[in-house]
Amino acid sequence: MFVARSIAADHKDLIHDVSFDFHGRRMATCSSDQSVKVWDKSESGDWHCTASWKTHSGSVWRVTWAHPEFGQVLASCSFDRTAAVWEEIVGESNDKLRGQSHWVKRTTLVDSRTSVTDVKFAPKHMGLMLATCSADGIVRIYEAPDVMNLSQWSLQHEISCKLSCSCISWNPSSSRAHSPMIAVGSDDSSPNAMAKVQIFEYNENTRKYAKAETLMTVTDPVHDIAFAPNLGRSFHILAIATKDVRIFTLKPVRKELTSSGGPTKFEIHIVAQFDNHNSQVWRVSWNITGTVLASSGDDGCVRLWKANYMDNWKCTGILKGNGSPVNGSSQQGNSNPSLGSNIPSLQNSLNGSSAGS
Amino acid sequence: MLLQDQLCSSLKSVFQPGRHGGKCFSARRARWLTPVVLALWEAEVIPGVNSKKNQMCFDWGPGEMLVCETSFSKKEKSEMVPSCPFIYIIRKDVDVYSQILRKLFNESHGIFLGLQRIDEELTGKSRKSQIAVAVGLRNDCRVSQGLLYPLVSILSAMELIWNLCEILFIEVAPAGHLLLHLLDWVRLHVCEVDSLSADVLGSENPSNHDSFWNLVTILVLQGRLDEARQMLSKEADASPASAGICRIMGDLMRTMPILSPGNTQTLTELELKWQHWHEECERYLQDSTFATNPHLESLLKIMLGDEAALLEQKELLSNWYHFLVTRLLYSNPTVKPIDLHYYAQSSLDLFLGGESSPEPLDNILLAAFEFDIHQVIKECSIALSNWWFVAHLTDLLDHCKLLQSHNLYFGSNMREFLLLEYASGLFAHPSLWQLGVDYFDYCPKLGRVSLELHIERIPLNTEQKALKVLRICEQRQMTEQVRSICKILAMKAVRNNRLGSALSWSIRAKDAAFATLVSDRFLRDYCERGCFSDLDLIDNLGPAMMLSDRLTFLGKYREFHHMYGEKRFADAASLLLSLMTSRIAPRSFWMTLLTDALPLLEQKQVIFSAEQTYELMQCLEDLTSRRPVRGESDIQQLQDEDIETTKVEMLRLALARNLARAIIREGSLEGS
């Protein structure tokens, strides 16, 4: 049985992104109303908005949390051509009493000349780094060398993708066998634009990111992209949201077989492709162990995909609305409608629910 | 086998086999399974969300998902106001049942661990029989009281399937014995008869009771012929007219040949005797002996295995597998395992008679009768929508080496896959996650990395919980997780200005950089306030002091304070000096150290030797000569520099005076 808890978001315009923190005890939302809100879960399980502030001078597309090893840090990116890093200041006693927390801007990253479409923190083993991508087709990688001083960010790399970028994903693998890697998707819809997914890999020798692969088969606009948690595999799994959901595996070709020094070459295979969303797919995201992929699309549903023990991918769940708007938006706090049919199911279906065939 | 005994007795005490406190499995029960299967593929509906108009953005959390309506067309100003200003947090509702199922989860966890350990201890020989002991994993239906009906149904269905799998796959009973096991199975799960029997026997005149013949028929259907005979004797006593035929029927019941566990007769002998008995029954039917009593005649037909007569008792049989077992009892009691599936399928078809289609539970049982293990697990996974059952069943079958023997080359993968699913589900629960740890431990391929990913997401809201999580990680040498958790806690402590806690967490994380940072904070606070917090911790650093230079300095500097406090001035002085000359002290702190030297220089007796004084002077000159020259300076800066200059002047004076005293003293000492 699914239980949904609804929270009045109280944003004044469209919400573009929602984001859980690492432990799932906090969340952040961002909106076209140019603000970001932070929500905290109390011991009793209720959610309370503990901060809401204007972050940008345009729609805020994405908001994301840094790993808690770096403290309480958020990054946001916006139509206003900037990305920003925010840090929570442990409140003055007044704030604490009112249940509010205080966030300060640590830096504004102003290098882009166009809308910044995505922002992602790098895997924590790389230190405090973040990548942005923008409509001008450039991926920028920034680093805060001193994790206690978040006002100092240096632009480490600029990767030109030649296509308007819509989304980025870091490869989360912390294996020494894998160099840092970032996948970039493009939603460029001009007719001569070809392959929409490029993969860049860091080269220890040149200290630069170089293009390792282009997914030639993905030619339609790409809206989201996500590497799966690695689970100690030698290969990588990449999910792509385009006109359908696609899952690729990238198997590194053994180094000695490739020319030494150059970027890793990969054997790329498509392992699943689903057009159940009927039209465009907008978001893809893995659960924490990378065993379930969720996607959302034009059909207004979130669909869950899972591989069984024979690596066959299947749909294992759908979340969709009942089509009737909520009456009275004054509803504050938590309502607790119980969802769907009374399935007396013991397992957590968010971990996927079909083991069969 | 001490372990085996323990396991056995704990099982017996915990799982009272089969008796459900009056609640029994009936045909009605199978019905819940249908919606479950559908629901798995049906949409989960979020009220208030208009899927027709909107797209949704979402994010995964550990065990939960955030969903929110949005529009992905990226225009600066959206024309429409969002129709749904709500964020939805969606989770599988484990809480509703967790209180009731907690015990079940806990007990099965214990049995799971027992089973894994048996496997480690025994090598091949007699493994199967050992494991069979562990097969007591039965549902405890004590929970049935005051419980939601669907849950009881699920538990009962699982027990039904489990017991059948036990008989077919693990006991591997041979022909003859197979049927005895199946009879026990049916008696266990169709147990209304007990309450009915009590009801009838409790009445004043049992043979006149409305349900008297129903009771006798059920007893015959379940092969409980001794009890049926006793009932008949009551009828005989009550109505002398039918006493004769009742006795004949009683004799037939008594003489029906059955395989008893201790008996040594061969299967052929049994079959011969049974044939003989069957012919005798047949003769009574031909002779119309029981024509005067339709009840008895119907019983005779049942005992002859007459399908039509059996099917007339559909109500009493209540389900097709009861029909199957009764049918076999009276037509083919020495059925071979291999022929079972044929009888099962035809019994199902006959029983349903085309009126209804088989339900998921039927398919699961059918697959079991076909000895298709894979199909059983597959159907259970879908129908039960419940990893608890399939994970434990598959694990058991795997330990019995049954998955390999059935050519399931992916068998170990399947076992691991299901255990991982079950354990992941447990991790979504605020406290049951601790059970999940052990399941991950016994998943050789992906267990460890899954545990790593799950455990680092456990919210560390209390110190106690953090220590629990750390212990689990440390026991498994998960160094990166240990480091990360300590680092998170250290960072949290620093942010809240709890420096002592921050320092001890960074020492535990072996994070030199962070220890340096926290040490600097300590020193900075000292400079501002003139005293240290968390003295206990700093004074008892021990070897941990070596983690970073700055921490070493902090520890040593505290040592200096101790020596000074204990008036061991000479020791204090040489330590102070060595902190600077060895460059352990950060340069920014030298002025503080030199200032600390002032009272020592002003003591009555000479403490710093001439040589030491020269070194101190050298340090001071080092410091002042490297001082950056500022261009523009504001008033505050000028004031600061003023104070600084005064300090330096005072130090120079004190050093010079001490040098003079030291030279005189050393000269006179040498002279004397």
Side-chain angles (χ1 to χ4, degrees), chain A residues 1-3 5 7 9 13 15 20 69 88 148 285 296 298 306 309 315 318 320-321 339 346-347 349, chain B residues 41 44-47 51 55-56 59-60 70 78 85 87 89 91-93 374 385-386 421 484 517:
Chain A
M1 190 190 309
F2 278 104
V3 171
R5 176 165 278 231
I7 300 164
D13 207 334
I15 293 172
F20 263 127
E69 276 185 25
E88 186 183 31
M148 294 311 288
S285 172
S296 85
D298 276 340
K306 180 166 175 51
Y309 44 83
C315 178
I318 304 166
K320 74 173 180 189
L339 289 183
L346 319 176
Q347 107 248 22
S349 192
Chain B
W41 300 99
E44 299 292 343
V45 176
I46 311 169
S51 286
Q55 297 148 356
M56 302 217 259
D59 190 32
W60 285 103
T70 186
S78 53
I87 308 163
I89 294 150
R91 63 178 298 131
K92 261 297 204 186
D93 190 7
H374 186 216
S385 174
N386 173 330
E421 288 302 331
S484 183
L517 187 139

Side-chain angles (χ1 to χ4, degrees), chain A residues 225-252:
Chain A
I225 195 163
F227 274 109
N230 182 269
L231 293 174
R233 285 180 297 248
S234 62
F235 60 94
H236 313 294
I237 297 180
L238 184 65
I240 291 168
T242 171
K243 63 173 182 180
D244 47 22
V245 180
R246 292 186 204 181
I247 303 170
F248 289 91
T249 56
L250 289 81
K251 295 194 168 100

Side-chain angles (χ1 to χ4, degrees), chain A residues 1-10 13-20 22-25 27 29 32 39 41 43 47 57-59 61 67-72 79 88 90 96 117 124 147-148 166 229 231-232 282-289 292-302 304 306-310 315-326 329 331 337 339-341 343-357, chain B residues 32 35-36 39-52 54-78 80-94 96-97 101 104-105 150-151 154 158 374 377-378 381-382 384-388 409-410 413-414 417-418 421 424-425 428 446 449-450 453-454 456-461 480 483-485 487-488 491 494-496 514 517 521:
Chain A
M1 190 190 309
F2 278 104
V3 171
R5 176 165 278 231
S6 64
I7 300 164
D10 206 25
D13 207 334
L14 263 187
I15 293 172
H16 292 289
D17 199 14
V18 288
S19 175
F20 263 127
F22 187 72
H23 291 115
R25 305 278 305 177
M27 62 173 173
T29 55
S32 270
W39 309 75
K41 192 180 192 175
E43 287 303 320
W47 289 89
S57 53
S59 287
W61 301 134
H67 193 279
E69 276 185 25
F70 304 111
Q72 295 299 306
F79 182 80
E88 186 183 31
V90 174
K96 263 190 182 156
T117 49
K124 71 169 190 297
V147 298
M148 294 311 288
S166 56
L231 293 174
W282 294 96
R283 283 288 172 89
V284 282
S285 172
W286 297 93
N287 70 343
I288 56 173
T289 46
V292 184
L293 177 73
S295 63
S296 85
D298 276 340
D299 60 350
C301 297
V302 175
L304 307 179
K306 180 166 175 51
N308 73 354
Y309 44 83
M310 291 159 91
C315 178
T316 67
I318 304 166
L319 300 167
K320 74 173 180 189
N322 62 358
S324 58
V326 167
S329 54
Q331 183 185 6
L339 289 183
S341 46
I343 316 158
S345 158
L346 319 176
Q347 107 248 22
N348 177 358
S349 192
L350 291 180
N351 287 299
S353 38
S354 167
S357 62
Chain B
W32 60 267
V36 174
L40 197 69
W41 300 99
E42 252 174 12
E44 299 292 343
V45 176
I46 311 169
V49 173
N50 190 342
S51 286
K52 286 193 187 98
N54 285 290
Q55 297 148 356
M56 302 217 259
C57 61
F58 63 90
D59 190 32
W60 285 103
E64 285 180 323
M65 188 179 246
L66 283 174
V67 176
C68 180
E69 276 187 48
T70 186
S71 167
F72 285 107
S73 53
K74 289 193 174 174
K75 290 172 224 150
E76 158 58 344
K77 209 67 198 164
S78 53
M80 52 168 194
V81 181
S83 64
C84 177
F86 285 89
I87 308 163
Y88 297 89
I89 294 150
I90 296 169
R91 63 178 298 131
K92 261 297 204 186
D93 190 7
V94 283
V96 173
Y97 296 117
L101 291 178
L104 179 68
F105 290 151
L151 182 63
I154 283 199
M158 291 194 298
H374 186 216
I377 294 166
K378 215 161 99 173
S381 305
I382 297 169
L384 293 172
S385 174
N386 173 330
W387 299 117
W388 176 81
Y409 61 92
F410 48 82
N413 287 350
M414 184 165 68
F417 177 91
L418 295 169
E421 288 302 331
S424 301
L446 293 174
V449 63
S450 301
L453 287 168
H454 276 291
E456 60 184 15
R457 303 273 180 160
I458 298 288
L460 308 166
N461 11 12
E480 169 52 23
R483 189 203 60 74
S484 183
I485 290 165
K487 181 69 184 286
I488 291 170
M491 183 58 107
V494 162
R495 282 164 32 81
N496 288 292
F514 212 72
L517 187 139
R521 285 277 180 90

Side-chain angles (χ1 to χ4, degrees), chain A residues 9 12 58 61 64 72 90 116 129 145 266 289 313 344:
Chain A
K12 306 220 162 28
W61 301 134
T64 188
Q72 295 299 306
V90 174
V116 181
M129 294 181 97
F266 295 93
T289 46
W313 289 84

